[in-house]
Amino acid sequence: MDLITPSVGLIFWTAIVFIILLVILRSVAWKPILSAVQEREKSIEDALNAAKKAEEKLVALNAENERLIKEAKIERDAILKEAREMKDKIVNEAKNTAQSEADRLIESAKAAISNEKAAAMADIKNQVGQLSIEIAEKILTKELADKTAQEALVNEVIDQVKFN
């Protein structure tokens, strides 16, 4: 049984060596290890805080982006509506201008046609009158040798002209 139970001296010296080892480790190893662990813990905490701030900023940016997108859509719709109104206004103005121009051209063409018709009628009347006079001169010079018959014919023509 001596092998299984340790002696008091062994326990004493083991305890002293353990205490010395603890003192050496405390002064040499534990302080740097604990300070490294604390620094690591602080850097992890800082990283978590930075991640939380970044997430908050991301949420704020997403909200801002959504707001800007909504504003841009509203502005786009307003611009498109204004453009449609301008297009309709320009088209209507162009139609009205074209219609008035067409009416003016039609009236001008009607007036020109009327003037040309009147000029053609006057020209035809002049030519018919001229031909009538030439025919009448030829007939009268041959048939009317008598002066009294000529005067009677002239008076008859004058009376007919007054009625027309």
Side-chain angles (χ1 to χ4, degrees):
M1 266 278 160
D2 283 335
L3 289 174
I4 299 180
T5 22
S7 67
V8 176
L10 181 64
I11 293 175
F12 174 75
W13 287 111
T14 305
I16 291 194
V17 169
F18 184 71
I19 292 173
I20 291 173
L21 182 64
L22 282 179
V23 170
I24 292 173
L25 283 176
R26 185 174 178 204
S27 65
V28 174
W30 282 352
K31 284 185 182 178
I33 290 173
L34 287 178
S35 66
V37 168
Q38 286 175 348
E39 284 181 32
R40 178 76 176 147
E41 189 177 292
K42 185 180 177 195
S43 69
I44 290 173
E45 188 177 324
D46 290 343
L48 288 174
N49 289 338
K52 194 179 281 185
K53 286 181 184 178
E55 185 179 359
E56 290 172 359
K57 284 183 181 180
L58 183 63
V59 168
L61 284 175
N62 283 339
E64 180 69 16
N65 284 344
E66 290 295 322
R67 184 185 64 79
L68 288 175
I69 288 172
K70 285 180 184 177
E71 287 178 5
K73 285 181 180 179
I74 291 170
E75 187 175 340
R76 179 202 64 197
D77 291 342
I79 289 171
L80 287 175
K81 180 181 177 187
E82 184 179 335
R84 278 188 218 105
E85 289 172 355
M86 281 181 115
K87 178 197 72 153
D88 292 341
K89 180 182 174 186
I90 290 170
V91 166
N92 287 336
E93 286 177 1
K95 282 181 182 178
N96 292 339
T97 303
Q99 184 64 38
S100 64
E101 184 67 21
D103 291 343
R104 186 187 64 77
L105 287 174
I106 289 171
E107 289 300 319
S108 174
K110 283 181 181 179
I113 289 171
S114 176
N115 289 340
E116 288 293 323
K117 182 179 176 183
M121 290 299 286
D123 189 40
I124 290 174
K125 284 182 182 179
N126 287 337
Q127 288 180 2
V128 168
Q130 192 69 23
L131 284 173
S132 298
I133 290 173
E134 288 177 9
I135 292 171
E137 273 183 1
K138 288 182 182 178
I139 292 173
L140 288 177
T141 54
K142 290 183 180 179
E143 290 186 7
L144 294 178
D146 185 17
K147 198 167 193 160
T148 57
Q150 285 179 3
E151 286 179 5
L153 183 61
V154 167
N155 288 334
E156 183 182 328
V157 171
I158 290 175
D159 288 337
Q160 285 178 358
V161 170
K162 286 181 183 176
F163 291 122
N164 289 337

